[in-house]
Amino acid sequence: MSTVTTSLADVASSDSALRAFLHGLPGVDRVGADQRAAMLGTRSIKTTAKAQAIDLAISMVDLTTLEGADTAGKVRAMCAKAVHPGGDAPRVAAVCVYPDLVEVAVRALAGTGVKVASVATAFPSGRSSLEVKVSDTALAVAAGADEIDMVIDRGAFLSGRYLKVWEEIAAVKAACGGAHLKVILETGELATYDNVRRASWLAMLAGADFIKTSTGKVAPAATLPVTLIMLEAVRDFRDASGRQVGVKPAGGIRTTKDAIKNLVLVHETAGDDWLSPDWFRLGASSLLNDLLMQRQKLATGRYAGPDYFTLD
C-alpha cells in the first residue's frame, strides 16, 4: 500500500502510534465497495469451471458445530463427513469445535489431513480477562488443535483502545505455539467499513495468520463488501510487509452460489495466490450439503434432495 510509510515494526510502540497508523489508512468508499462487490457477485461460471469451483470450495470449508448441545457423537459424525463428504468429493479443510471437544476431533481425524480448529478466548463475546483467554487457547492447543479462532475485544476496539486489542492478539498468538491463529473481527458489530479495514490491519500487525469476519452468532456476518475490504487489506499488507495472511468469511454462507461469489471475489481482489485452503476458508455449518447437491447435479443432470446426504 503506497500510502503506508510508517515502519510496521514501530506501529505498536505506543497507543498513539498505533492510533495514528490505523487512522492514517485510506478511508473506504462505501458506495464503491458495495457496487464492486455487487458487480463481482453477478459473474456467471458454467460447466467445467463451475465443477472446479465447487470442488475448490469444498476443500476450503471449515465444517463447524458451535452449539451448546454439541456432543462427542455429533463431532465424530461431523469428522467422518469432513473426510468423506460424499462420492469422490474432496475432503474439507478443517473441523471447528469448542475447546472441550478438540480431543474427540483430533482422534477422529488422525492421519486424514483434515485440520482441527477450535474457537477460544471466551467465544463468541470475548468478554473475559486476558489470563482466561490465554489459558483457553493453551488448553485447546494442548488438546491438539491445529488452528485457534479467537475473537477480538470489540468493546476495546470501538472505544479506541487499539493497543489493548493488539496486546491481546499478540498474547494469544504466543500461546498458540505452532498452531495457526485466526482472528475474528465480528464485523457486524464494527459499524463502518473503515473500522473493518482498521481491525483487519490491527489483527495482522499483531500476528494473525488469518482474519475472519464473524462468529456466526451476530448479523450481518460475512457480507460480500466486508469480505472485499478484508481481501484488499491482506493484499496490501503483503505488499507492505512481505507476509501473506489468509481470510475466512463465516456466517450466512449457505449456498453454492454464495461460495462461488466469494471465490470470484478472491480471484479479482487478492489474486490467485489466495485461491487455496491455506489462504482462504469458508466457515459454514450448512454450506457443504448444497455444494454436494450442486456437484451431483453437474455430474448426473439430476438434482438430489438434502435427504440424500448426511446432516451437517
Side-chain angles (χ1 to χ4, degrees), residues 233-301:
V234 297
R235 178 199 65 200
D236 294 341
F237 182 79
R238 187 178 71 171
D239 287 346
S241 70
R243 186 168 74 87
Q244 187 162 334
V245 175
V247 175
K248 178 180 173 180
I253 303 172
R254 298 185 176 90
T255 68
T256 299
K257 184 179 292 187
D258 293 335
I260 291 176
K261 286 179 180 179
N262 274 276
L263 296 184
V264 170
L265 209 63
V266 174
H267 173 74
E268 295 292 337
T269 306
D272 289 348
D273 286 353
W274 273 267
L275 280 175
S276 157
D278 291 337
W279 303 109
F280 193 76
R281 298 285 182 83
L282 296 163
S285 57
S286 59
L287 170 64
L288 182 57
N289 271 2
D290 194 72
L291 288 166
L292 294 171
M293 287 189 284
Q294 292 292 341
R295 189 178 192 273
Q296 179 167 317
K297 183 175 185 292
L298 283 177
T300 67

Side-chain angles (χ1 to χ4, degrees), residues 1-3 5-6 14 54 79 91 137 162 164-165 190 195 216 218 252 269 274 280 289 292 297:
M1 179 179 287
S2 60
T3 56
T5 57
T6 305
S14 68
I54 288 173
C79 290
R91 67 188 181 223
T137 300
Y162 300 132
K164 180 180 188 296
V165 179
L190 296 187
N195 276 343
V218 172
T269 306
W274 273 267
F280 193 76
N289 271 2
L292 294 171
K297 183 175 185 292

Side-chain angles (χ1 to χ4, degrees), residues 6-19:
T6 305
S7 169
L8 296 183
D10 299 330
V11 166
S13 60
S14 68
D15 209 358
S16 59
L18 189 54
R19 176 187 299 276

Side-chain angles (χ1 to χ4, degrees), residues 93-214:
V95 163
C96 186
V97 296
Y98 276 116
D100 62 313
L101 291 166
V102 166
E103 287 188 11
V104 175
V106 167
R107 288 195 297 270
L109 293 171
T112 66
V114 177
K115 297 187 182 302
V116 177
S118 180
V119 296
T121 66
F123 177 94
S125 69
R127 308 307 309 177
S128 189
S129 68
L130 178 57
E131 291 76 15
V132 168
K133 292 178 180 181
V134 168
S135 177
D136 198 23
T137 300
L139 288 170
V141 172
D146 302 295
E147 301 171 354
I148 295 296
D149 290 27
M150 75 165 287
V151 288
I152 67 167
D153 183 335
R154 282 87 74 193
F157 179 87
L158 290 169
S159 59
R161 291 176 289 156
Y162 300 132
L163 190 58
K164 180 180 188 296
V165 179
W166 186 95
E167 289 171 343
E168 287 200 348
I169 296 170
V172 172
K173 172 64 176 173
C176 283
H180 280 193
L181 176 63
K182 304 194 202 86
V183 177
I184 306 170
L185 310 181
E186 198 66 288
T187 55
E189 293 183 341
L190 296 187
T192 70
Y193 288 172
D194 284 340
N195 276 343
V196 172
R197 175 167 285 173
R198 289 169 187 149
S200 296
W201 274 83
L202 178 57
M204 293 186 291
L205 289 166
D209 297 298
F210 265 75
I211 51 174
K212 177 178 171 182
T213 60
S214 325

Side-chain angles (χ1 to χ4, degrees), residues 1 22-37 191-201 224-233 236:
M1 179 179 287
L22 295 176
H23 284 265
L25 293 170
V28 178
D29 177 347
R30 187 178 190 94
V31 173
D34 287 344
Q35 289 181 345
R36 178 164 174 76
T192 70
Y193 288 172
D194 284 340
N195 276 343
V196 172
R197 175 167 285 173
R198 289 169 187 149
S200 296
W201 274 83
L224 285 178
V226 159
T227 303
L228 170 67
I229 291 162
M230 292 169 65
L231 286 165
E232 289 176 342
D236 294 341

